[in-house]
Amino acid sequence: AQKVTQAQTEISVVEKEDVTLDCVYETRDTTYYLFWYKQPPSGELVFLIRRNSFDEQNEISGRYSWNFQKSTSSFNFTITASQVVDSAVYFCALSGYGNNRLAFGKGNQVVVIP
Amino acid sequence: DAGVIQSPRHEVTEMGQEVTLRCKPISGHNSLFWYRQTMMRGLELLIYFNNNVPIDDSGMPEDRFSAKMPNASFSTLKIQPSEPRDSAVYFCASSFNGRDSPLHFGNGTRLTVT
């Protein structure tokens, strides 16, 4: 079974500060896929990034970056120079190769204070 | 391109009534998912379809819940009879192959059962 843990429940930062969200996962699959989703106050769920288990290269996309480390089963997500519009709940999610079940963590509530 | 379309956006009903939630996936996507979101349990996968066929309904909480996908462009989630504990936001999502493709979510249906 897949399991995703997001330990931090609410994180408050002042605008322009960086914020890093931690995600730890458990899976027995050797091939799996990791995702981050954003849920703004309006309620919709928006796909942000995806990573395959066989690709540990960390990347930056605009103000978003992620740090994938298989050795520690972590898939952390960073927002650089946060803005008020980044205020949302961020979900880490995992799916295994053998099934389509996407397991979500409990989410991190990010509050960016102007 | 139109995203995943869910209706209604809000539903208020009395305990014991039948509730039907509707979903139109993104054209060309062959996997469809129904999720439920509550404060206590977070995002839970209820059921998913691949090529209109239900693949995994282990997340459906009780026999009161049923889902159908009569064709590639339409799915329903029905609760009969509804109970107050069914109050939640129900999301429909679709993807190209479900496993490693990102899920695209609808705006959700907020269900309140009184």
Side-chain angles (χ1 to χ4, degrees):
Chain A
Q2 330 286 351
K3 183 179 178 181
V4 177
T5 302
Q6 295 178 254
Q8 311 142 298
T9 53
E10 182 166 328
I11 305 165
S12 294
V13 296
V14 176
E15 199 171 19
K16 297 184 182 178
E17 288 183 342
D18 297 348
V19 56
T20 295
L21 309 180
D22 298 330
C23 172
V24 175
Y25 61 91
E26 296 176 28
T27 180
R28 294 180 181 176
D29 291 333
T30 54
T31 299
Y32 49 89
Y33 308 90
L34 293 159
F35 304 81
W36 277 96
Y37 283 82
K38 173 183 179 180
Q39 187 173 39
S42 51
E44 71 272 24
L45 280 155
V46 179
F47 163 73
L48 295 178
I49 57 174
R50 175 189 63 201
R51 213 73 193 134
N52 304 325
S53 57
F54 43 85
D55 183 359
E56 287 192 71
Q57 181 178 357
N58 296 313
E59 293 187 14
I60 297 174
S61 175
R63 295 187 298 108
Y64 298 154
S65 62
W66 48 96
N67 185 350
F68 174 34
Q69 293 191 346
K70 287 180 72 172
S71 60
T72 56
S73 296
S74 65
F75 185 50
N76 298 337
F77 176 68
T78 297
I79 305 170
T80 302
S82 60
Q83 301 174 3
V84 173
V85 293
D86 296 327
S87 296
V89 180
Y90 291 82
F91 292 95
C92 181
L94 163 71
S95 69
Y97 182 80
N99 66 78
N100 290 0
R101 298 181 64 88
L102 188 62
F104 284 85
K106 294 293 187 184
N108 300 123
Q109 172 77 60
V110 173
V111 178
V112 181
I113 303 166
Chain B
D1 289 340
V4 175
I5 300 172
Q6 289 186 248
S7 64
R9 288 297 309 274
H10 302 274
E11 177 79 37
V12 180
T13 191
E14 292 183 348
M15 182 174 64
Q17 297 297 307
E18 177 180 298
V19 175
T20 299
L21 311 182
R22 297 173 176 79
C23 174
K24 176 179 170 57
I26 292 173
S27 178
H29 283 187
N30 61 355
S31 295
L32 183 139
F33 305 78
W34 282 100
Y35 279 84
R36 178 172 67 176
Q37 185 178 33
T38 61
M39 287 294 293
M40 291 296 295
R41 301 174 68 91
L43 278 158
E44 304 173 278
L45 177 64
L46 300 178
I47 185 172
Y48 78 87
F49 296 83
N50 197 41
N51 294 321
N52 312 338
V53 176
I55 302 299
D56 183 352
D57 65 355
S58 59
M60 297 285 263
E62 300 172 31
D63 291 345
R64 299 183 296 104
F65 286 71
S66 62
K68 294 181 179 180
M69 191 166 187
N71 57 61
S73 59
F74 184 66
S75 177
T76 59
L77 178 68
K78 185 177 294 186
I79 309 172
Q80 166 63 22
S82 58
E83 296 182 3
R85 59 188 166 132
D86 301 331
S87 297
V89 179
Y90 291 81
F91 286 100
C92 176
S94 70
S95 73
F96 178 63
N97 68 14
R99 186 174 56 235
D100 60 343
S101 297
L103 269 61
H104 297 266
F105 285 81
N107 288 329
T109 295
R110 181 173 295 277
L111 173 64
T112 303
V113 183
T114 61

